[in-house]
Amino acid sequence: MGTRIIGTGSCLPATIVTNDDLAKIMDTSDEWISTRTGIRERHLVKEETTTSMSAEAARRAMENAGVTAEEIDLLIVGTLSADCVTPACACEVQAQIGAVNAVAFDINAACAGFMFALNIANAYLQTGIYKTGLILGAETLSKIMDWNDRSTCVLFGDGAGAAVVRAEEQAGLLAFDQGSDGVKGKVLACRNRSNNNPLMETSKELEYVHMDGQEVYKFAVTAVPHSLQKTIQAAGLTVEDIDYFALHQANIRILQSVAKRLKVSEDKFPISLDHCGNISAASVPILLDEMNRKGMLKAGMKIAMSGFGGGLTWASAVVEW
Ligand code: COA
């Protein structure tokens, strides 16, 4: 048994915030942001929530795959910004789309969340436990940004992406690599609520994302090419066999560096970060959906995917479309 991606979907909030819009509320500029990151605008939530965007992305993916909600028996959301501590975003999505036969749960692997969800679904599907998975990456990062910290808040956006995966005789997912390095976790972190027990001395400070941008950059440009090379080799392929590299959309300079290290043309690295920014777990599935809907993905093509970020975590996959 193999695992095949049979449909994709995505959903971005209606409100677009350009770099110039940000320059009106903080000391930054379109020039600084776009030259260092490639980001020109991002979508930020007003009314939308992590769950509402996920449910819409899920509906679009199911329609694209030609499956009904009742056929879904596994529903996983990769997120670090769910609306509730409990119930899980996946359970809320299950209720909204009517996936009554699914087991639903969230996982947190930050920007590698969708890729981790894909590998978890693959393990379930390959062992025959479940047959049709709906996997998502979804984030409302704008609510955990420190809007007084211009070095991080300009980088991120909100949105959700989804894919339907199915157990099939012919394998679509050819190889996988995953890893974590908790020792370096502090370079990209966001604490949860503080202790609010009235019997103890407590901090009432709100917690936001903190990032050591240069350390994260160094991690990404080393770990990602290594993980991709390992995965491509495990698939029995060479870098030249890969038609597209659908990577987490953190920063154009990271993508350019990965392309250079792999000795591959940057043309093989499609981007969505220019209009989406970094949407953590949602970046890879949104990019994949954009590629799918533009007709870029043809049967038999080999696509290498990779997610990397907080944890630290990373995961790569090679799929035959
Ligand atoms: N607008 C204008 N100036 C800004 C700014 C902003 N939004 N943010 C920071 N600056 C300033 C800094 O204050 C600093 O000023 P100083 O030299 O007077 O102190 C200057 O720009 C340079 O900052 P620095 O942090 O050295 O820039 P950099 O070249 O390292 O680029 C990042 C910063 C964040 C773009 C870069 O480190 C990066 O891309 N890292 C990876 C981050 C990432 O992708 N994270 C997510 C991974 S999942």
Side-chain angles (χ1 to χ4, degrees):
M1 267 297 156
T3 299
R4 186 167 281 277
I5 297 175
I6 60 166
T8 62
S10 60
C11 176
L12 293 169
T15 308
I16 295 173
V17 175
T18 65
N19 292 345
D20 286 334
D21 292 331
L22 291 179
K24 288 179 196 147
I25 58 163
M26 65 185 77
D27 183 13
T28 190
S29 65
D30 176 51
E31 195 272 333
W32 192 96
I33 302 169
S34 56
T35 53
R36 278 180 178 73
T37 69
I39 298 165
R40 299 195 172 276
E41 58 189 37
R42 70 289 291 140
H43 294 244
L44 300 182
V45 297
K46 224 174 189 175
E47 307 296 332
E48 302 90 344
T49 64
T50 306
T51 297
S52 72
M53 293 186 291
S54 298
E56 189 52 35
R59 287 187 200 100
R60 292 174 187 172
M62 290 189 299
E63 193 186 356
N64 185 241
V67 304
T68 62
E70 290 79 11
E71 287 175 77
I72 304 293
D73 51 12
L74 175 66
L75 201 172
I76 311 174
V77 180
T79 184
L80 55 79
S81 53
D83 300 320
C84 306
V85 176
T86 191
C89 180
C91 294
E92 294 197 310
V93 172
Q94 174 187 32
Q96 289 203 7
I97 66 173
V100 289
N101 298 313
V103 60
F105 57 92
D106 291 355
I107 56 129
N108 178 349
C111 305
F114 174 81
M115 299 302 298
F116 273 51
L118 175 61
N119 198 27
I120 294 167
N122 178 47
Y124 275 122
L125 266 47
Q126 292 227 358
T127 48
I129 298 173
Y130 300 115
K131 291 193 167 40
T132 309
L134 175 59
I135 51 170
L136 293 105
E139 307 286 7
T140 307
L141 298 173
S142 56
K143 69 187 175 191
I144 53 169
M145 283 302 130
D146 179 351
W147 289 95
N148 294 312
D149 177 3
R150 64 178 181 169
S151 66
T152 52
C153 69
V154 302
L155 306 176
F156 295 92
D158 301 330
V164 177
V165 288
R166 184 166 255 174
E168 290 190 355
E169 285 302 326
Q170 198 191 353
L173 185 54
L174 304 178
F176 216 101
D177 174 58
Q178 276 178 289
S180 313
D181 182 359
V183 173
K184 297 205 185 100
K186 284 197 172 64
V187 302
L188 177 48
C190 178
R191 294 192 61 77
N192 208 331
R193 296 177 176 203
S194 310
N195 174 16
N196 67 349
N197 179 342
L199 298 172
M200 312 296 171
E201 274 187 33
T202 59
S203 152
K204 296 281 181 232
E205 269 184 41
L206 288 172
E207 305 287 353
Y208 296 107
V209 170
H210 296 281
M211 182 178 70
D212 180 337
Q214 289 178 3
E215 282 303 313
V216 175
Y217 185 90
K218 278 189 241 161
F219 151 69
V221 299
T222 318
V224 177
H226 180 250
S227 175
L228 280 167
Q229 262 160 341
K230 204 168 144 186
T231 314
I232 292 165
Q233 198 176 12
L237 300 171
T238 65
V239 168
E240 291 73 37
D241 296 323
I242 302 299
D243 295 287
Y244 287 115
F245 292 81
L247 266 51
H248 171 48
Q249 300 286 296
N251 181 314
I252 193 75
R253 289 181 173 173
I254 293 177
L255 300 181
Q256 288 165 340
S257 170
V258 174
K260 200 170 163 195
R261 282 174 199 235
L262 294 178
K263 300 190 177 64
V264 175
S265 162
E266 284 172 31
D267 296 345
K268 286 192 170 185
F269 288 68
I271 60 160
S272 60
L273 60 81
D274 57 337
H275 60 279
C276 291
N278 178 345
I279 322 181
S280 191
S283 281
V284 172
I286 289 172
L287 178 67
L288 206 58
D289 185 48
E290 289 189 358
M291 293 167 70
N292 191 16
R293 283 169 201 270
K294 282 180 192 158
M296 292 166 68
L297 301 172
K298 315 264 185 248
M301 272 186 168
K302 311 288 188 303
I303 317 297
M305 301 189 278
S306 193
F308 51 89
L312 297 171
T313 55
W314 61 93
S316 304
V318 173
V319 298
E320 184 174 313
W321 199 254

